[in-house]
Amino acid sequence: MYLAYLADISGKFNEFNLQLQGFDKNIFNSTQKIKAFYKKLSLWKNSLASNNLTAFSCLIELISEGYLISRNLKSICHSHLA
């Protein structure tokens, strides 16, 4: 389950990284993207605490196959996102 979470969050960081790359990027729009990503991290942390996993597609897939998320995993993911 933790590996599924890591796959999800790594995908999000990869998307974020790609948004910051390119010749047409400057400090102004990059700063806005960084601020937005920090807000998304907070949103994902709060969503995870309330059992809303829409941002974590790999976790959703495992849950649909019958796996359960332990409190320990939630705690680890919550601290990671913090």
Side-chain angles (χ1 to χ4, degrees):
M1 292 292 278
Y2 188 60
L3 188 58
Y5 161 76
L6 288 175
D8 286 329
I9 202 69
S10 294
K12 305 249 184 249
F13 274 107
N14 286 337
E15 290 173 17
F16 173 60
N17 184 24
L18 291 174
Q19 290 177 356
L20 297 176
Q21 296 180 23
F23 292 109
D24 61 337
K25 305 301 179 197
N26 59 48
I27 191 69
F28 301 111
N29 61 17
S30 294
T31 302
Q32 293 302 318
K33 291 186 186 302
I34 292 168
K35 288 179 182 179
F37 193 75
Y38 272 112
K39 288 180 182 180
K40 286 180 185 179
L41 286 172
S42 179
L43 175 70
W44 296 330
K45 181 179 70 167
N46 294 335
S47 296
L48 185 65
S50 64
N51 292 326
N52 179 357
L53 302 175
T54 55
F56 305 102
S57 59
C58 292
L59 276 178
I60 290 174
E61 187 176 330
L62 284 179
I63 290 170
S64 70
E65 292 176 5
Y67 292 94
L68 299 175
I69 296 179
S70 68
R71 287 184 183 168
N72 187 35
L73 177 66
K74 277 188 181 180
S75 174
I76 291 170
C77 295
H78 191 270
S79 343
H80 183 252
L81 289 171

